[in-house]
Amino acid sequence: MPLPIVAVIGRPNVGKSTLVNRLAGGRDAIVHDQPGVTRDRTYRNAFWGDRDFQVVDTGGLVFDDETEFLPFIREQALSALSEARAAVFVVDGQAGLTDGDREIANWLRQHPVPVVLAVNKCESPTEGLALAAEFWELGLGEPYPVSGIHGNGTGELLDLLVTHLPPPEEIETEPETKIAIVGRPNVGKSSLLNAFVGENRAIVSPISGTTRDPIDTLIQHGDNRYRLIDTAGIRKKKNVEYGPEFFGINRAFKAIRRSDVVLFVVDALDGVTEQDQKLAGRIEDEGRACIVVVNKWDAVEKDSHTIYEYEKDLKNRLYFVNWAPMIFVSAKTGKRVENILALVDTAIEQYRRRVSTAVINEVLEEALRWHTPPTNRQGRQGKIYYGTQVSSEPPTIALFVNDPKRFNDNYRRYIERHFRTELGFEGTPIRFLWRGKKARDVESPGSNRAIRV
């Protein structure tokens, strides 16, 4: 059985995301003094006592308005409630009982999910009980005064909440591959997520900035589990104002950092922009495996040569990740979307791969035979003594040399190309550490001699 889910429900701006951050022990959910910041449902791992569970943050519920994203937010909240073992209904103790609270309470009574009533913004322990008393009228049991900001009362709330969750022995956790879906606004990231899961998991809209919080979704494909993380579209820094979009982009960068593989989504109609190139550099800097997903391929006029010319142009422009495999898809029609996970499996295998020192040095010796290291103006030549892989995720190879300064960028790129040609490593960056050491102190492992040029 996967981790049980707890849905957090309430009106806009009652402090749901603040309470989610408190329950999950972090600050991943975006909190801003503006209604409607949270739109999609977002999942966070949490625990209390001996119980592990997931908390689902949802958008603010309004039933008498059909403007902009509100119908989609209601759909997302309903989806969260349908998969939940329990719900936390958050109300605003400072604002008091409202008609909107009554509407949500009536809606919750139509679902067979146990509800815990949290009266938020009760920072004062003495006044909290008085503020909460008004909410007995909702008929959902005892209202618990809490403070999402300061944590007051959350322990008592969690004590009651975990009584509705299954015991730990019924829960099994399996290893999973974390996949971040990143790209500029409106390239189809949320559509791609929905195509993976076969439902409207994320709100899709032509309005830029629809997705704000990172959206975690678990899927099973064969024997493998994947956590898909949809992220906010990343625009140029100068175009981003402080507020929900600013926080969303920061969360997107954090999603890259906590992922194993990045699906870098590019718009086939727009081609590669300057912002795409900066994002490619960010992915390479973070050392993450990568798949370039060219979306909206169905909208491109093409012949039998188009895809090859397009791929060549993209690899030239996305030179930071020219080692990443490329796939042309349509999230709208679902074409080739299912093939992405096969590329992810290959990339993650290479990302975690370890190569023996003996093989590293065989490849290195061959590279040196084909192209000797450069010689400086004083006639001093670079020498590579031996290499060994020191870590994976991403593969990192230490090369012991006489002087790292004697190896220019062109030669370093040549070494990387040769290693990729001989060993593959498709879909993952390779790190090379050029370490200076005196020739007399270094010998190749398993050999009586150093590698000489």
Side-chain angles (χ1 to χ4, degrees), residues 177 179 226 261 263 291 339-349:
T177 299
I179 305 171
Y226 306 90
V261 183
L263 298 185
I291 312 294
N339 297 338
I340 294 175
L341 291 180
L343 294 177
V344 167
D345 290 341
T346 300
I348 199 65
E349 179 184 352

Side-chain angles (χ1 to χ4, degrees), residues 173-179 196 217-228 338 340-349 352:
T173 57
E174 300 177 16
E176 60 190 34
T177 299
K178 293 184 283 295
I179 305 171
F196 270 120
T217 305
L218 275 173
I219 63 171
Q220 185 88 28
H221 184 75
D223 296 330
N224 299 325
R225 279 162 55 93
Y226 306 90
R227 180 177 294 276
L228 301 172
E338 63 181 16
I340 294 175
L341 291 180
L343 294 177
V344 167
D345 290 341
T346 300
I348 199 65
E349 179 184 352
R352 295 169 178 166

Side-chain angles (χ1 to χ4, degrees), residues 21-41:
N21 284 339
R22 175 65 58 177
L23 298 180
R27 298 183 63 184
D28 287 349
I30 296 175
V31 177
H32 192 61
D33 188 17
Q34 174 184 321
V37 170
T38 303
R39 294 171 175 172
D40 300 282
R41 63 189 195 271

